[in-house]
Amino acid sequence: MDLNKILAFQQKIDYRFSDVSLLETALIHSSYANEHKLKKFQNNERLEFLGDAVLELVSSDVLFKRYPEKLEGTLSKTRASLVCEPALAYCARELGLGDFLLLGRGEDMTGGRDRDSILSDALEAVIGSLYLDGGLESARRFIMNFVLNDMENTRLFYDCKTTLQENIQSWSKDTPVYELVDEYGPEHSRTFVMQIRLGGRILGKGSGRTKQAAGQNAAYESLLTLKAEGIFKDKDDDLCI
């Protein structure tokens, strides 16, 4: 693995690994391991399994302490929204994690570096590697800085298309229309740009390696727009954090 990239990633997260091999493994996707005939455990899947558990523990602890009057059902819904695949993928993109991943050639050529499932799994694998290298506190610090640093907005990723649709229906007769406005890049790695129109107004735009991802990001941006204008209101007030 490129040592310069390893150093750059450690600088980005402000953590120096004692065992760099843990971070290297966290960045290896199974497609790369298969292509280079590595052993079955020499990819990030085991670390992702561990990181998922650590993330659930830390996020549960944060919500439990921050909102002492919230009931279990509300806390569970809020946690699910914060650590769902699209939300984690968004956090991974903000971190630029895709640039550091080792992918098989085919996976890389078909846009895997920006795929939600790959990014979210890799983010959890990084959390797992931090837990093994520096303990729970190191993993917690990363989670607070790069995953739970914007809970108020990140949680809106949870089923944001449905949330947007239901919210608009509560105050408008118009239906949001998803429009493909641009696409670029080589055939094997296209980037799509979608916008959401409501009547004569553009609510938000989003891009992604698939039309579905671009539409999801456009819905998220639209929710942020409505929220900034004071129009958006949560379906369940208890989920406001």
Side-chain angles (χ1 to χ4, degrees):
M1 180 172 285
D2 189 335
L3 291 180
N4 289 328
K5 280 194 170 185
I6 290 294
L7 287 172
F9 187 77
Q10 290 180 98
Q11 290 175 347
K12 182 166 267 194
I13 66 173
D14 192 25
Y15 180 85
R16 181 62 63 94
F17 277 78
S18 297
D19 184 357
V20 177
S21 67
L22 288 169
L23 175 59
E24 291 176 338
T25 302
L27 300 175
I28 296 176
H29 186 254
S30 58
S31 62
Y32 180 91
N34 293 336
E35 190 174 285
H36 290 78
K37 296 181 171 55
L38 302 180
K39 294 179 181 179
K40 289 185 177 180
F41 58 83
Q42 290 181 304
N43 60 56
N44 64 9
E45 291 178 351
R46 280 170 51 85
L47 285 173
E48 179 264 323
F49 162 79
L50 178 61
D52 174 68
V54 174
L55 176 59
E56 181 166 325
L57 172 61
V58 172
S59 57
S60 298
D61 181 64
V62 169
L63 292 173
F64 184 87
K65 292 176 179 176
R66 188 171 294 185
Y67 307 106
E69 297 182 359
K70 300 295 185 184
L71 299 179
E72 180 273 338
T74 298
L75 293 174
S76 293
K77 289 178 183 178
T78 306
R79 182 183 62 197
S81 70
L82 292 171
V83 300
C84 67
E85 184 178 285
L88 293 183
Y90 174 80
C91 295
R93 290 189 184 96
E94 290 290 290
L95 186 58
L97 182 57
D99 295 335
F100 297 92
L101 299 181
L102 290 180
L103 304 176
R105 185 175 302 177
E107 193 68 67
D108 199 2
M109 291 181 64
T110 54
R113 205 169 290 280
D114 193 51
R115 188 166 294 129
D116 278 9
S117 58
I118 290 177
L119 288 173
S120 61
D121 287 351
L123 187 68
E124 290 180 330
V126 169
I127 292 171
S129 70
L130 284 162
Y131 173 75
L132 290 178
D133 190 76
L136 183 59
E137 186 52 39
S138 295
R140 179 187 176 86
R141 190 179 306 116
F142 174 86
I143 291 168
M144 296 307 298
N145 288 338
F146 299 103
V147 181
L148 301 182
N149 56 315
D150 187 19
M151 293 194 295
E152 176 67 24
N153 290 325
T154 302
R155 68 182 185 77
L156 295 179
F157 255 113
Y158 188 67
D159 203 13
C160 56
K161 286 186 175 181
T162 300
T163 301
L164 179 65
Q165 181 81 22
E166 291 177 347
N167 188 264
I168 289 175
Q169 285 178 345
S170 70
W171 52 268
S172 175
K173 293 182 179 180
D174 292 325
T175 300
V177 178
Y178 289 76
E179 301 173 333
L180 178 65
V181 293
D182 194 15
E183 57 181 282
Y184 54 89
E187 283 299 320
H188 63 267
S189 184
R190 304 292 284 171
T191 294
F192 300 92
V193 180
M194 301 283 287
Q195 70 179 20
I196 297 179
R197 182 185 298 276
L198 184 67
R201 180 188 180 193
I202 305 300
L203 286 182
K205 286 186 178 182
S207 61
R209 292 297 177 88
T210 65
K211 294 177 182 178
Q212 180 179 6
Q216 177 176 267
N217 290 330
Y220 175 68
E221 292 300 325
S222 298
L223 284 173
L224 293 184
T225 297
L226 295 178
K227 185 180 175 190
E229 295 175 356
I231 300 174
F232 171 75
K233 188 176 186 298
D234 276 304
K235 182 179 179 182
D236 183 348
D237 286 340
D238 282 343
L239 288 179
C240 295
I241 57 178

